[in-house]
């Protein structure tokens, strides 16, 4: 009787929740929802037309449809020849420098980010002041774009390998601190509280309650970030004048396209091999079930991997060449430049309202370019992701072609795609949008197809057994259930595209605030102006991040 009473009470509560939902309360619920959807589509179309006018790219879709012809031209120009193989020793030397820089910056940034994430996590009775300080610094490191950090460290340390290391370290530290903090908050708070309530010390609760819970995902995020930094090291090399990126720029600007193509081939093979190996490692650590044993093989493998990479990182630091100054001199110069860049611009800011208005206009241009890139990427990636869905398309040849093409496009750094298309389409915003869109399409196809394939197979099997067509399953099951992920991934890609547009403002002639940053730092050597632009970009990035978080919560 008691059991029946409890079940009956639960059913009453469930019924009340259903009755209190908007569907039951409003008779015109579906009509209102349709009107809202139509209004959102009209708003997106209006913003698209406005962005086209602001960026002055009226024939962008014609250029995108000509991408197959562009690939033929690029293959003709950039295919390695026998003449390019004489540069193999030089390419190999710079290649290993770049790889060591990416490995060392990612390894050290990951370890520091883990410590900072622990200090800023939402543990009970935490140090509120320390948490706010860590979170603020991580947010600043993450949201100030990479070119601004490049200019700061170039002014401080000069043009060398150490500058590239510091740039990747700072940007990676900001991103991973946020990721690890969210990871700890979602998986380890209860374990930490339980151990503390049993009398364990703070450090003991961290070691036995927090670290084991995030161990596998820490390695997974570490490998993903390392793969990203291998791609970004080309951009850092181009901007700092070091490594494989600088060598690519030398070959590209001297019209030795076959030698530049050889560098692209080396980078592509490296990233594809590393992505394949890291995917297998993530599957082993996160998914594979092991037999019970006194020795935890996954933990041993994780520690061995971190130990080997740490040794390589210290070795890389030993090999890096700086400008010959000692640590105290470098630190003093860096602090002076930070103070000048971020705290000594108030007088010039009040006296140059016209300059600030010009920066605002340039920032709007960059946002428009990023918005166009994201919209085009979503439009092209959705059909390709649908063709990659196993439930809808049983032809594995089509799925494998799309998967291989996406992997190939993702393997080549974004800046290199943009520079390649500038050869075919000319320097300007069109080449920037096409290059960024191609990379974004490959990224979103992978993300959307993962969302589509994660749908419960029982749902699709039930619909098939009821006689539903594949089109009905797509429109009534797959797309509605994946709508949140589609919007979330699209907005996340929009944030990335904005940062990429800023970074490519000068490299591809995209214009916008990235070009203003290039002029201020590389032409005028005005570090105060760089600070003003950095604050502009920081506020825009924080605004986009806030909007993204609110959208995710509403979804």
């Amino acid at each position: 009787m008691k059991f029946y009473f409890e079940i009956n009470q639960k059913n009453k509560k469930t019924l009340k929740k259903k009755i209190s939902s908007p569907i039951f309360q409003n008779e015109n619920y579906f009509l209102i929802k349709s009107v809202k959807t139509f209004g959102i589509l009209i708003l997106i179309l209006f913003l698209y037309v406005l962005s086209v006018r602001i960026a002055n790219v009226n024939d962008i879709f014609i250029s995108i449809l000509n991408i197959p012809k562009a690939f033929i031209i690029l293959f003709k120009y950039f295919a390695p020849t026998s003449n390019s193989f004489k540069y193999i020793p030089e390419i190999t030397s710079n290649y290993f420098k770049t790889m060591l820089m990416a490995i060392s910056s990612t390894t050290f940034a990951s370890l520091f980010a883990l410590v900072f994430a622990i200090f800023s996590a939402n543990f009970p009775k935490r140090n509120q002041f320390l948490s706010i300080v860590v979170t603020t610094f991580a947010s600043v490191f993450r949201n100030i774009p990479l070119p601004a950090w490049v200019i700061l460290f170039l002014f401080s340390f000069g043009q060398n390998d150490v500058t590239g290391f510091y740039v990747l370290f700072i940007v990676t530290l900001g991103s991973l601190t946020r990721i690890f903090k969210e990871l700890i908050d979602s998986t380890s708070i209860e374990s930490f509280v339980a151990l503390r309530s049993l009398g364990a010390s703070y450090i003991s609760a961290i070691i036995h309650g927090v670290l084991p819970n995030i161990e596998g995902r820490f390695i997974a995020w570490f490998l993903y970030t390392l793969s990203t930094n291998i791609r970004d090291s080309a951009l850092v090399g181009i901007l700092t004048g070091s490594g494989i990126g600088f060598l690519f720029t030398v070959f590209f600007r001297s019209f030795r396209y076959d030698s530049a193509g050889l560098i692209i081939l080396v980078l592509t093979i490296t990233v594809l091999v590393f992505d394949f190996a890291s995917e297998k490692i993530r599957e082993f650590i996160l998914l594979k079930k092991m037999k019970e044993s006194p020795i935890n093989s996954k933990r041993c493998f994780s520690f061995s991997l971190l130990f080997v990479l740490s040794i390589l990182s210290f070795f890389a630091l030993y090999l890096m060449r700086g400008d010959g100054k000692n640590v105290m001199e470098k630190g003093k110069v860096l602090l002076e430049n930070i103070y000048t860049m971020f705290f000594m611009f108030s007088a010039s800011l009040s006296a140059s309202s016209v300059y600030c208005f010009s920066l605002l206009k340039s920032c709007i241009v960059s946002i428009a370019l990023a918005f166009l890139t994201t919209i085009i990427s979503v439009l092209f990636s959705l059909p390709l992701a649908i063709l990659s869905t196993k439930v809808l398309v049983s032809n594995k040849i089509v799925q494998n072609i799309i998967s291989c093409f996406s992997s190939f496009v993702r393997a080549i750094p974004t800046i290199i795609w943009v520079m390649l298309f500038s050869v075919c389409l000319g320097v300007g915003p069109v080449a920037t949008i096409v290059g960024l869109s191609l990379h974004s399409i490959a990224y979103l196809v992978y993300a959307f197809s993962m969302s589509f394939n994660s749908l419960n197979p029982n749902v699709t099997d039930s619909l098939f057994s009821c006689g539903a067509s594949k089109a009905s399953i797509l429109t009534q099951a797959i797309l509605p259930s994946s709508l949140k992920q589609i919007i979330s991934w699209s907005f996340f890609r929009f944030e990335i595209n904005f940062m990429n547009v800023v970074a490519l403002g000068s490299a591809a002639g995209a214009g916008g605030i990235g070009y203003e940053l290039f002029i201020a730092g590389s032409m005028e050597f005005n570090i105060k102006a760089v600070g003003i632009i950095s604050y502009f970009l920081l506020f825009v990035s924080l605004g986009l991040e806030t909007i993204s978080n609110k959208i995710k919560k509403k979804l």
Side-chain angles (χ1 to χ4, degrees):
M1 189 70 183
K2 182 180 178 182
F3 176 76
Y4 172 78
F5 176 76
E6 290 177 352
I7 296 295
N8 194 31
Q9 290 295 108
K10 288 181 181 179
N11 290 336
K12 284 182 179 180
K13 290 180 180 179
T14 305
L15 184 61
K16 284 181 180 180
K17 286 182 180 179
K18 288 183 177 180
I19 293 174
S20 61
S21 66
I23 298 177
F24 289 94
Q25 287 182 349
N26 197 337
E27 295 179 358
N28 299 322
Y29 173 79
F30 291 103
L31 176 62
I32 295 172
K33 189 174 182 180
S34 300
V35 171
K36 285 183 178 180
T37 304
F38 182 73
I40 291 172
L41 292 176
I42 293 295
L43 177 62
I44 292 174
L45 181 61
F46 171 76
L47 291 175
Y48 173 81
V49 174
L50 182 64
S51 299
V52 168
R53 294 292 299 273
I54 293 172
N56 194 22
V57 285
N58 297 318
D59 55 348
I60 184 63
F61 267 101
I62 297 175
S63 301
I64 290 175
L65 294 176
N66 287 328
I67 285 180
K69 294 181 182 179
F71 270 112
I72 296 173
I73 297 172
L74 292 176
F75 182 78
K76 180 181 176 181
Y77 284 166
F78 288 88
T81 61
S82 57
N83 184 52
S84 62
F85 288 102
K86 66 182 181 181
Y87 297 107
I88 285 181
E90 193 175 357
I91 292 173
T92 304
S93 174
N94 284 278
Y95 168 78
F96 280 111
K97 286 182 181 178
T98 303
M99 293 303 107
L100 288 174
M101 180 180 69
I103 291 171
S104 59
S105 59
T106 307
T107 303
F108 288 125
S110 300
L111 296 176
F112 277 97
L114 180 61
V115 176
F116 290 163
I118 291 172
F119 283 134
S120 60
N122 294 319
F123 294 131
K125 299 181 180 179
R126 60 175 177 163
N127 190 324
Q128 193 73 24
F129 175 76
L130 183 61
S131 176
I132 292 173
V133 169
V134 171
T135 305
T136 302
F137 273 101
S139 183
V140 170
F141 292 163
R142 184 175 65 252
N143 288 298
I144 291 180
L146 188 142
W149 292 117
V150 168
I151 293 170
L152 173 64
F153 286 112
L154 276 176
F155 281 17
S156 304
F157 303 132
Q159 187 175 337
N160 50 62
D161 298 332
V162 177
T163 301
F165 167 80
Y166 282 130
V167 170
L168 279 178
F169 173 81
I170 287 292
V171 176
T172 306
L173 178 64
S175 300
L176 287 182
T177 299
R178 178 190 178 188
I179 291 169
F180 292 161
K181 178 183 179 301
E182 293 178 354
L183 198 60
I184 292 172
D185 290 342
S186 62
T187 61
S188 305
I189 299 296
E190 294 179 356
S191 303
F192 178 85
V193 172
L195 288 173
R196 290 287 285 167
S197 63
L198 293 174
S201 64
Y202 184 89
I203 296 177
S204 179
I206 293 293
I207 294 174
H208 299 288
V210 176
L211 296 183
N213 287 334
I214 66 170
E215 177 186 333
R217 295 182 185 180
F218 171 84
I219 296 295
W221 275 109
F222 171 78
L223 293 173
Y224 173 78
T225 307
L226 180 56
S227 175
T228 303
N229 280 349
I230 289 175
R231 297 183 183 93
D232 289 345
S233 60
L235 171 60
V236 172
I238 290 171
L239 296 175
T240 60
S242 61
I244 198 78
F246 177 68
L247 189 61
F248 174 82
T249 307
V250 171
F251 290 152
F252 185 85
R253 291 180 177 174
S254 59
F255 303 103
R256 287 177 281 180
Y257 291 149
D258 55 341
S259 303
L262 183 59
I263 292 178
I264 295 173
L265 181 63
V266 170
L267 284 174
T268 304
I269 293 174
T270 300
V271 174
L272 288 175
V273 170
F274 183 83
D275 282 350
F276 177 79
S278 61
E279 184 68 26
K280 294 299 180 183
I281 293 173
R282 283 195 292 266
E283 288 179 2
F284 170 73
I285 292 175
L286 296 176
L287 302 178
K288 189 174 181 180
K289 295 182 178 179
M290 306 297 295
K291 295 181 180 179
E292 291 186 5
S293 172
I295 299 175
N296 191 329
S297 57
K298 290 185 179 182
R299 185 166 296 174
C300 289
F301 178 81
S302 300
F303 278 112
S304 300
L305 179 65
L306 286 176
F307 177 76
V308 171
L309 291 177
S310 298
I311 296 297
L312 282 175
S313 300
F314 282 109
F315 179 68
L317 287 181
Y318 175 76
L319 293 179
M320 285 182 188
R321 295 179 179 178
D323 54 2
K325 297 180 181 179
N326 60 42
V327 178
M328 294 299 294
E329 290 178 352
K330 290 180 179 179
K332 183 180 179 181
V333 173
L334 177 61
L335 290 176
E336 289 176 354
N337 286 329
I338 289 174
Y339 180 74
T340 305
M341 180 173 171
F342 292 109
F343 301 103
M344 287 187 64
F345 64 90
S346 56
S348 59
L349 178 62
S350 60
S352 56
S353 57
V354 176
Y355 178 66
C356 291
F357 182 72
S358 175
L359 289 181
L360 182 60
K361 288 174 61 178
S362 300
C363 191
I364 293 173
V365 171
S366 296
I367 293 173
L369 289 171
F371 181 79
L372 287 173
T373 301
T374 307
I375 292 297
I376 292 169
S377 304
V378 172
L379 289 177
F380 280 90
S381 59
L382 273 175
L384 293 175
I386 291 169
L387 291 175
S388 301
T389 306
K390 297 177 182 178
V391 176
L392 301 176
V393 180
S394 57
N395 192 337
K396 292 186 177 180
I397 297 177
V398 175
Q399 296 174 1
N400 290 334
I401 290 173
I402 295 173
S403 177
C404 291
F405 180 75
S406 299
S407 300
F408 168 74
V409 171
R410 291 198 310 272
I412 299 177
T414 308
I415 188 171
I416 291 181
W417 276 121
V418 174
M419 294 175 72
L420 292 179
F421 280 111
S422 67
V423 175
C424 306
L425 305 174
V427 177
V430 174
T432 302
I433 293 176
V434 172
L436 284 176
S437 296
L438 187 66
H439 206 271
S440 297
I441 288 169
Y443 180 94
L444 290 177
V445 165
Y446 178 74
F448 290 166
S449 60
M450 283 180 59
S451 300
F452 294 163
N453 288 319
S454 63
L455 183 65
N456 192 344
N458 295 330
V459 176
T460 54
D461 291 342
S462 301
L463 291 171
F464 273 125
S465 63
C466 294
S469 63
K470 290 184 178 180
S472 300
I473 293 173
L474 174 65
T475 56
Q476 303 299 324
I478 294 177
L479 289 180
S481 63
S482 305
L483 184 61
K484 295 179 181 180
Q485 289 91 334
I486 291 172
I487 295 174
S488 179
W489 280 113
S490 300
F491 209 96
F492 180 66
R493 191 64 204 183
F494 174 61
E495 295 179 54
I496 295 175
N497 285 336
F498 175 72
M499 289 296 183
N500 286 334
V501 167
V502 173
L504 298 171
S506 62
I513 199 166
Y515 181 72
E516 300 284 350
L517 184 63
F518 169 75
I519 294 297
S522 301
M523 296 294 182
E524 299 175 352
F525 302 104
N526 187 348
I527 197 169
K528 293 182 181 180
V530 173
I532 296 172
I533 297 171
S534 299
Y535 274 111
F536 259 88
L537 294 171
L538 177 62
F539 292 144
V540 172
S541 300
L542 290 175
L544 292 177
E545 188 175 314
T546 303
I547 295 171
S548 175
N549 291 333
K550 287 186 177 180
I551 290 174
K552 289 176 184 177
K553 287 180 180 179
K554 287 186 177 181
L555 292 175

